[in-house]
């Protein structure tokens, strides 16, 4: 889990760091936040990757060079890093 339900801080898997820790995302040196609280637990499937050089046959879109996104819709509020 990268972003717990109700959170505004934008966390991401750090693909460049050893062991790929989940850290708060930055842009131009500043921490990033969503404009409103997340309505779902949001994260990524570990050890997956969307290839930016391959076009999906169904959608016609290319990958974003990140792990596959996942949403959990429910009442449970996950913590950052929770599986």
């Amino acid at each position: 889990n990268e972003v717990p339900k109700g959170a505004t801080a934008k966390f991401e898997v750090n693909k460049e760091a050893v062991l790929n820790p989940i850290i708060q995302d930055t842009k131009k040196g500043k921490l990033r936040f969503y404009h409103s609280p997340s309505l779902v637990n949001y994260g990524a499937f570990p050890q997956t990757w969307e290839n930016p050089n391959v076009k999906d046959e169904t959608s016609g879109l290319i990958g974003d060079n990140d792990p596959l996104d996942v949403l959990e819709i429910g009442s449970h509020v996950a913590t950052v890093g929770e599986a």
Side-chain angles (χ1 to χ4, degrees), residues 65-79:
N65 202 32
D66 281 334
L68 295 173
D69 296 323
V70 63
L71 301 176
E72 179 191 37
I73 301 170
S75 60
H76 175 70
V77 177
T79 58

